[in-house]
Amino acid sequence: MRIAELRNHPFLLLVLKDGESEGYFSPELVDKIKQQLIDMSLRIASDNLSIIYADQINKGCEIVLGITNLGLLALCDNDTDKAKTIIKTQGIVYCFRAGWAKYAQLKTISPSYFDSIAITTYALSVNDTADISARHANLIKEGYKSAKLLDVYKNIAATYCASSLLIDNDEDVLLFELQRYLNSALALLLIDSDKKVFTSSLYQAFNSYILSTKKELILEKIQSSIVTLTGQLSILTKSYLQEIDLLGFSEFKSIINQQVDVAIHIQEILELPITVLNELHDDFEGGYDFHADDEDDIAYLRPDEQ
């Protein structure tokens, strides 16, 4: 893209301008290219934006420019002479289709990720010298990361999810739930359980352990349990979870280290079955909630004031 940066226009426009000024492109070809670009812009605006508003039509033109530019760069490898030959022999629509094929690569990585990327991301204005190839490469990279997150999430959830699995496409939600699954796996290892999901008795055992054991001993066992847990993961899964910093268990360690309402805070970061959660929040059904709602319970039992 160096030539574009030097001359302050997208590569495609520079090639068209040079080809026209050099007489390499005939006036008839130039007119045909202009008409095809207009037609494609209107089609893009009609399918993805709106042809009612002028600014939307302009945006359609910028999208066509960006995608065609991407395709031409992929075909000619930034070689202007080769680019002019491609346009003259194959046509501008051929370049657009090559760019569209690059754009469609996002869908092959992850349909949900593809849907999250607005087509306007590929728009280029006439004075835009941004490297559209680098932009696309970065989107591809992010797409693979998104797909990997979903793959790892499904893998971990299959073992540690305590309820029906409903997959959210929001990456923040996936990361939050993935950390909860891992926290629960770690918590079960702390009480030397080989189970993957908490039961009421297991949670009582875990709760007793964190309340009756010195924090130094708990933190020490956390470290050894992390080693055990990571040893159960595949190399690729372990590497990915380390990369996104989910195997540090910082929040888990912080709750233990602070020793403030540990039993209340720890349950918020764990994946617990609904039966266990019901017991934790319903004193009068035989469960326990560490007295978190005693005032409400007492108020409920008092007779109405006359």
Side-chain angles (χ1 to χ4, degrees), residues 200-201 203-204 207 267 274-294 297:
S200 295
S201 59
Y203 192 79
Q204 289 180 42
N207 185 59
Q267 62 181 275
I274 189 66
T275 52
V276 175
L277 288 171
N278 284 341
E279 291 184 2
L280 288 173
H281 298 289
D282 190 354
D283 284 348
F284 298 103
E285 293 295 332
Y288 51 91
D289 62 1
F290 314 106
H291 309 291
D293 63 353
D294 282 353
D297 292 338

Side-chain angles (χ1 to χ4, degrees), residues 203-274:
Y203 192 79
Q204 289 180 42
F206 171 70
N207 185 59
S208 297
Y209 171 74
I210 60 174
L211 292 179
S212 62
T213 307
K214 291 183 178 180
K215 71 174 184 179
E216 292 79 11
L217 295 177
I218 298 176
L219 292 171
E220 182 178 329
K221 190 166 185 180
I222 284 176
Q223 290 305 121
S224 63
S225 296
I226 291 175
V227 173
T228 301
L229 176 59
T230 55
Q232 297 171 354
L233 303 173
S234 70
I235 294 176
L236 290 177
T237 297
K238 174 184 174 181
S239 176
Y240 176 75
L241 291 174
Q242 288 175 330
E243 180 184 334
I244 61 175
D245 198 28
L246 290 192
L247 293 180
F249 297 97
S250 56
E251 187 175 18
F252 198 122
K253 293 175 183 176
S254 177
I255 291 172
I256 298 299
N257 197 48
Q258 290 177 12
Q259 291 290 292
V260 178
D261 295 326
V262 175
I264 294 176
H265 295 309
I266 202 73
Q267 62 181 275
E268 300 299 327
I269 67 167
L270 299 177
E271 171 70 3
L272 300 175
I274 189 66

Side-chain angles (χ1 to χ4, degrees), residues 17 35 129 202 205 216:
K17 184 177 180 181
Q35 188 58 53
T129 62
L202 284 174
E216 292 79 11

Side-chain angles (χ1 to χ4, degrees), residues 13 21 33 35 60 62 86 112 129 158 175 197 206 228 257 262 264-265 304:
L13 295 185
S21 63
I33 289 172
Q35 188 58 53
E62 292 176 353
I86 290 170
S112 60
T129 62
L175 288 169
V197 176
F206 171 70
T228 301
N257 197 48
V262 175
I264 294 176
H265 295 309
D304 294 335

Side-chain angles (χ1 to χ4, degrees), residues 58-177:
N58 289 336
K59 182 59 68 176
C61 294
E62 292 176 353
I63 292 169
V64 168
L65 176 56
I67 290 179
T68 307
N69 200 53
L70 176 64
L72 181 60
L73 284 166
L75 292 168
C76 77
D77 195 26
N78 214 35
D79 184 319
T80 54
D81 291 333
K82 187 176 180 181
K84 284 183 281 189
T85 300
I86 290 170
I87 291 174
K88 185 174 183 178
T89 59
Q90 301 294 332
I92 201 70
V93 175
Y94 178 77
C95 300
F96 175 83
R97 287 173 177 167
W100 191 267
K102 302 283 283 184
Y103 166 62
Q105 288 175 344
L106 300 177
K107 193 168 188 176
T108 64
I109 297 171
S110 169
S112 60
Y113 177 72
F114 174 78
D115 291 339
S116 72
I117 303 299
I119 193 172
T120 52
T121 306
Y122 285 82
L124 283 180
S125 67
V126 294
N127 296 316
D128 195 339
T129 62
D131 190 337
I132 193 68
S133 296
R135 184 185 301 175
H136 174 70
N138 186 61
L139 289 170
I140 290 290
K141 180 180 178 181
E142 292 300 314
Y144 278 116
K145 287 172 61 177
S146 177
K148 183 61 178 177
L149 170 60
L150 184 59
D151 182 58
V152 170
Y153 174 87
K154 289 179 179 179
N155 183 38
I156 298 296
T159 302
Y160 297 105
C161 183
S163 58
S164 298
L165 184 60
L166 298 174
I167 299 177
D168 196 301
N169 288 326
D170 188 317
E171 290 190 9
D172 289 336
V173 173
L174 294 180
L175 288 169
F176 173 77
E177 292 185 348

Side-chain angles (χ1 to χ4, degrees), residues 4-34:
E5 293 171 357
L6 288 171
R7 295 169 60 187
N8 299 318
H9 292 293
F11 180 78
L12 171 63
L13 295 185
L14 295 175
V15 171
L16 291 175
K17 184 177 180 181
D18 288 349
E20 182 179 15
S21 63
E22 295 166 0
Y24 188 77
F25 298 150
S26 67
E28 292 78 16
L29 178 60
V30 172
D31 288 341
K32 180 181 179 181
I33 289 172
K34 289 179 180 178

